[in-house]
Amino acid sequence: MSKFNSNCSEVRISPSTMLPLVLLFAAALASGPPVVLDDPTLCNPSGYIAGVDLGLDCCTFVVCDNARLNKTGFQGKCMGGTAWNQALLVCDDVKYVPDCDVTTCDVPKRTNAECADPQPTGSTCCVGQNREGGKNGYEPVFTAGSAPEFFIRGNDRDEQKCPLGQVFVLESCCCEYEYAPAPPCDDTTGFYFADPDDACCTYLQCWANRTGFDTVPCMPPSVWNDDNKTCDIKYNVMDCMAAECGVEMTDEPCPDSFEGDCCRNGLFYTLGPDSTQYTIAGAEGMDNDRLLCCPVNMDGNQMIFNADPEVCCCEVEDLGL
């Protein structure tokens, strides 16, 4: 998703440089047509070109569009009285860009004025809008263009075009990539669904954009419990009690003798200095000197380590009440 600020300019900040927030916030892609690059090699190696190298002012920078083989670029403007620093690839304080006179720069003006009408409408929107929350968003008002990828900013006469492959979406008031959710992931109630081809042994995990899914197996002998949306023991899923999902996974057995207070699943446990702490011994690569703590359960009760060989785990202390 391409996020826009109050002048609907796509924000792109160089991740390689950490500067004060006021300087980083000043960089924003301004409205206007893409810049045609006669020499795509200017994009090497950073993907950013100083505007002065293309005959533009010193507050301007160009972000190369590698989707178009660097033959075009998105024009950006440094705002808030900052200038483009090509060495650091950020909008910087003018004292660090002494050759730039920012008073000569053509920079869009920001406004904090709220949009007069609730947004979005059938054809307009404002950045920061939230109709259900009673927020109209902030000026300027954007209008959907003549095609899905076009929009008009404020009172501009010319349409602007979203980056390649994106369309203008009124609900978010920005350019976004189009995604077509695929069943069953078009059901927005969750991301995990029963596998129609194997309801017991596998389940479907949807991708974040819901355009597809991965088929994930439950580890035998567990089966998919679609009510709880988790792999579960087969006795909790009536329809899968007879399911055979492959070779069952088993824990390493405990030996007859070992060093420690108790053993569970092939690991040796020793009670720590107090009842809430323990150490794990016998596991390759494990730091035996590091104390581990029992967690607090969902009811807010501190669990303690029970070293009884029949238990050998953290549990809530039985106070005998």
Side-chain angles (χ1 to χ4, degrees):
M1 179 185 297
S2 298
K3 292 296 184 184
F4 290 83
N5 63 13
S6 59
N7 66 356
C8 202
S9 299
E10 184 181 356
V11 176
R12 295 192 181 185
I13 303 301
S14 169
S16 61
T17 307
M18 297 298 293
L19 289 179
L21 179 61
V22 66
L23 299 183
L24 293 180
F25 186 73
L29 286 186
S31 58
V35 178
V36 178
L37 302 177
D38 295 329
D39 183 7
T41 61
L42 291 175
C43 293
N44 300 329
S46 67
Y48 291 81
I49 307 173
V52 293
D53 293 341
L54 300 173
L56 305 171
D57 61 50
C58 57
C59 299
T60 303
F61 60 96
V62 173
V63 183
C64 298
D65 185 1
N66 59 12
R68 296 187 177 182
L69 302 178
N70 293 335
K71 294 180 180 179
T72 63
F74 299 107
Q75 184 179 161
K77 293 288 186 178
C78 291
M79 305 179 72
T82 60
W84 179 250
N85 187 329
Q86 183 65 20
L88 299 180
L89 303 179
V90 294
C91 291
D92 207 348
D93 193 301
V94 291
K95 67 181 179 182
Y96 299 115
V97 192
D99 296 334
C100 181
D101 180 3
V102 296
T103 62
T104 64
C105 295
D106 180 17
V107 178
K109 296 186 181 299
R110 288 182 174 174
T111 173
N112 291 324
E114 291 191 9
C115 291
D117 301 315
Q119 299 293 336
T121 69
S123 59
T124 66
C125 65
C126 294
V127 174
Q129 65 194 11
N130 182 349
R131 197 179 188 102
E132 293 181 358
K135 296 184 181 297
N136 296 348
Y138 299 93
E139 292 184 350
V141 177
F142 291 88
T143 305
S146 59
E149 66 271 22
F150 289 99
F151 63 93
I152 300 174
R153 177 187 179 275
N155 296 320
D156 291 350
R157 288 191 248 173
D158 297 329
E159 291 185 329
Q160 299 177 38
K161 188 175 182 179
C162 291
L164 185 65
Q166 298 186 22
V167 296
F168 189 71
V169 180
L170 289 169
E171 287 72 20
S172 57
C173 206
C174 68
C175 292
E176 297 183 2
Y177 287 102
E178 286 189 289
Y179 295 115
C185 300
D186 54 352
D187 179 353
T188 58
T189 59
F191 282 90
Y192 301 93
F193 298 93
D195 184 353
D197 297 325
D198 187 353
C200 291
C201 299
T202 60
Y203 62 94
L204 307 182
Q205 180 175 342
C206 296
W207 302 341
N209 60 18
R210 298 185 179 276
T211 60
F213 54 81
D214 293 317
T215 301
V216 184
C218 287
M219 183 180 294
S222 66
V223 295
W224 178 247
N225 185 330
D226 199 49
D227 291 332
N228 297 337
K229 301 298 182 182
T230 183
C231 293
D232 201 350
I233 59 175
K234 61 176 61 178
Y235 302 107
N236 289 338
V237 186
M238 185 67 66
D239 293 339
C240 296
M241 291 186 66
E244 297 294 336
C245 297
V247 179
E248 294 188 2
M249 307 298 292
T250 59
D251 296 312
E252 183 179 348
C254 289
D256 295 333
S257 61
F258 54 85
E259 294 183 3
D261 294 328
C262 61
C263 177
R264 187 181 181 90
N265 302 335
L267 297 178
F268 313 142
Y269 293 81
T270 302
L271 187 65
D274 63 58
S275 59
T276 66
Q277 299 176 317
Y278 63 95
T279 59
I280 302 177
E284 184 178 355
M286 185 69 70
D287 182 1
N288 298 333
D289 296 329
R290 178 169 54 89
L291 285 176
L292 303 175
C293 295
C294 289
V296 174
N297 71 1
M298 297 183 66
D299 294 326
N301 299 317
Q302 173 64 57
M303 303 178 75
I304 65 171
F305 187 77
N306 187 339
D308 186 320
E310 299 297 325
V311 181
C312 201
C313 68
C314 292
E315 63 178 11
V316 176
E317 184 177 10
D318 185 4
L319 300 178
L321 299 178

